[in-house]
Amino acid sequence: MKIFLLDLNYTLVSNSEIKIKSFSEQILNEEYRIDLINVLKEEYVIMVTSCPDKYKQETLAHLRKKTGWNPRLAYFNDLNLTSPAFKERVLNDHIFSNYQPESLIAIESNPKTRAMYKQNKIKALTFQEFLEV
């Protein structure tokens, strides 16, 4: 079984470059990549995002309302770490105790985070690369 580690901003959210002062307002204006959701909706997806943990419930509720889909699990940054550092912490604290690296595929926008995944023997792709496979 393949497990997908899905990044939120710039990967699932197509308009992440648009910044709105109120983060709650920004969440309401997020546009999701429906083509990516359509490929992943029946898969086992774990969202791993550097987005602050205080926006987790709001983000997941908006995602569900707008697309009818949510990942199986979601880890939001509760440690105020950089994206690669936080996501590696999630790997070590939660993911590797349940899954082998070869069963994981990361869909990730951040080049440094993709490099970290690859160092941990996880296949890491941008959303464009993933959709082309």
Side-chain angles (χ1 to χ4, degrees), residues 8 47 49 51-53 55-56 59-60 74-78 86:
L8 177 64
M47 182 179 288
T49 176
C51 180
D53 188 65
Y55 299 110
K56 179 179 181 175
T59 299
L60 292 175
Y75 295 97
F76 281 61
N77 195 344
D78 57 350
F86 173 70

Side-chain angles (χ1 to χ4, degrees), residues 90-129:
V90 170
L91 287 176
N92 291 319
D93 291 355
H94 304 284
I95 306 295
F96 287 151
S97 60
N98 296 306
Y99 309 104
Q100 296 300 313
E102 54 274 3
S103 70
L104 303 168
I105 298 174
I107 308 168
E108 173 64 52
S109 63
N110 184 309
K112 291 179 181 176
T113 306
R114 282 196 311 275
M116 177 278 298
Y117 280 133
K118 289 175 183 176
Q119 287 174 346
N120 281 282
K121 300 184 178 21
I122 296 170
K123 184 175 183 176
L125 306 166
T126 65
F127 80 90
Q128 298 101 325
E129 291 169 334

Side-chain angles (χ1 to χ4, degrees), residues 6 13 25 45 47 50 62 81 86 95 115-117 119 131:
L6 179 63
V13 176
E25 188 70 24
V45 177
M47 182 179 288
S50 57
H62 184 255
L81 297 172
F86 173 70
I95 306 295
M116 177 278 298
Y117 280 133
Q119 287 174 346
L131 290 176

